């Protein structure tokens, strides 16, 4: 699911190869009120898959729809926004903490200061997604979703992708394939890319000189945070915090 979503939907912010936050759908962001509010300036050249330009008004409606749909398991990126509870209760038409300042400027206000909040917006659950009249979900990514069943999903190239059209015309994802079928499918050419190979299958492929020459491995990316409790006497020691931060490369 993450692989499919990552090719169809995009987030306001992303991370580079070193794990640092970088602009994505927004061209810049500002931290206000000591981390209680954030101002995002959206790029002007982005179209949704259904042809609608990405504006701050559209981004707000996408966020509100995601909040409404995911109300039972809200990601922190949405739960921390001011006014979400009133919106879900039905006492407010919009989330008060998501404010449209101009066609390309969006303000997000939180219930409490949360300086690391922009990092949460790299999570795929906070991606820009909009339901179309054809009952598909439109995003802004390099591919658009054209077919989806429990066992497969077909994506086609987004010719109007804001970063430029990608080389592949389409991608066919096979879902729910048993681990035992991955290696044989890779060897026979049925699959071009697989994930989570059984350790013994990977070892056999690496030992096969013919298979090994055409094999490319890609690491899985994850994001972690270290948060210090400023009420703890131990965590108030600056040298200790520096040492802990220094043992992990970002």
């Amino acid at each position: 699911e993450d692989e499919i979503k990552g090719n169809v939907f995009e987030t306001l912010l992303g991370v580079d190869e070193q794990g640092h936050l970088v602009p994505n759908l927004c061209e810049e962001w500002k931290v206000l009120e000591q981390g209680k509010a954030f101002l995002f300036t959206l790029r002007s050249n982005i179209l949704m898959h259904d042809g609608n330009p990405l504006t701050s008004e559209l981004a707000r409606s996408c966020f509100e729809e995601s909040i409404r749909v995911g109300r039972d398991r809200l990601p922190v990126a949405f739960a921390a926004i001011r006014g979400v509870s009133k919106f879900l209760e039905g006492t407010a038409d919009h989330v008060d903490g998501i404010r449209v300042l101009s066609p390309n400027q969006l303000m997000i206000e939180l219930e409490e200061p949360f300086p690391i909040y922009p990092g949460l917006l790299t999570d795929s659950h906070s991606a820009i997604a909009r339901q179309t009249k054809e009952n598909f979900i439109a995003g802004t990514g390099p591919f658009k979703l054209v077919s989806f069943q429990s066992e497969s999903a077909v994506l086609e190239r987004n010719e109007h992708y804001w970063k430029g059209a990608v080389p592949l015309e389409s991608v066919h994802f096979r879902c729910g394939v048993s681990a035992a079928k991955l290696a044989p499918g890779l060897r026979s050419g049925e699959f071009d890319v697989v994930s989570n190979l059984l350790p013994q299958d990977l070892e056999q492929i690496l030992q096969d000189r013919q298979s090994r020459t055409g094999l490319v491995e890609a690491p899985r990316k994850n994001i972690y945070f270290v948060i210090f409790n400023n009420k703890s006497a131990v965590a108030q020691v600056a040298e200790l915090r520096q040492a802990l931060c220094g043992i992990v490369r970002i």
Side-chain angles (χ1 to χ4, degrees):
E1 291 180 355
D2 286 339
E3 295 291 345
I4 297 172
K5 289 189 296 183
N7 281 286
V8 179
F9 309 110
E10 296 178 307
T11 52
L12 293 181
L13 300 176
V15 291
D16 62 15
E17 292 298 325
Q18 288 73 43
H20 299 122
L21 284 178
V22 294
N24 197 31
L25 294 181
C26 72
E27 61 183 18
E28 67 174 2
W29 76 96
K30 295 180 180 179
V31 182
L32 307 174
E33 300 180 33
Q34 297 183 326
K36 192 174 182 179
F38 302 86
L39 177 63
F40 300 92
T41 301
L42 303 180
R43 300 183 189 273
S44 59
N45 61 332
I46 298 178
L47 295 176
M48 301 287 289
H49 293 155
D50 58 4
N52 287 296
L54 178 62
T55 63
S56 53
E57 184 71 42
L58 180 55
R60 179 178 71 168
S61 67
C62 289
F63 281 158
E64 290 179 342
E65 180 62 20
S66 296
I67 291 170
R68 188 180 295 110
V69 171
R71 60 188 306 151
D72 295 330
R73 295 185 62 183
L74 277 182
V76 180
F78 293 148
I81 300 176
R82 179 176 64 84
V84 165
S85 58
K86 291 183 179 180
F87 175 71
L88 292 177
E89 291 169 358
T91 58
D93 294 333
H94 295 285
V95 177
D96 291 340
I98 305 178
R99 297 173 52 202
V100 174
L101 303 185
S102 72
N104 72 326
Q105 285 197 316
L106 186 74
M107 176 87 77
I108 294 182
E109 300 173 342
L110 309 181
E111 295 284 0
E112 298 178 0
F114 198 9
I116 67 170
Y117 178 77
L120 302 178
L121 292 177
T122 65
D123 179 15
S124 62
H125 290 90
S126 65
I128 299 295
R130 180 174 184 266
Q131 187 165 1
T132 67
K133 295 179 180 179
E134 295 78 17
N135 290 325
F136 280 101
I137 306 298
T140 62
F143 292 91
K144 52 187 178 181
L145 184 66
V146 296
S147 174
F148 182 79
Q149 290 86 32
S150 60
E151 71 281 357
S152 70
V154 177
L155 312 184
E156 289 184 356
R157 179 169 56 198
N158 176 14
E159 300 291 350
H160 305 290
Y161 186 45
W162 60 281
K163 291 183 180 180
V166 295
L168 293 176
E169 292 184 1
S170 64
V171 183
H172 183 192
F173 285 92
R174 294 278 300 275
C175 313
V177 179
S178 67
K181 295 181 179 180
L182 293 177
L186 188 63
R187 291 192 182 96
S188 67
E190 180 184 1
F191 305 136
D192 297 308
V193 181
V194 298
S195 63
N196 299 322
L197 281 169
L198 293 174
Q200 60 268 27
D201 290 337
L202 179 58
E203 185 175 353
Q204 289 179 2
I205 291 175
L206 292 175
Q207 291 176 354
D208 184 341
R209 181 177 300 178
Q210 184 175 357
S211 298
R212 187 176 60 194
T213 57
L215 182 69
V216 178
E217 292 185 81
R220 183 185 298 274
K221 293 184 178 181
N222 293 288
I223 299 175
Y224 297 90
F225 295 99
V226 176
I227 303 176
F228 297 104
N229 179 8
N230 62 5
K231 297 181 181 179
S232 164
V234 174
Q236 289 179 11
V237 180
E239 292 80 5
L240 175 61
R241 297 201 303 271
Q242 291 173 353
L244 289 172
C245 290
I247 63 175
V248 179
R249 285 187 58 196
I250 57 173

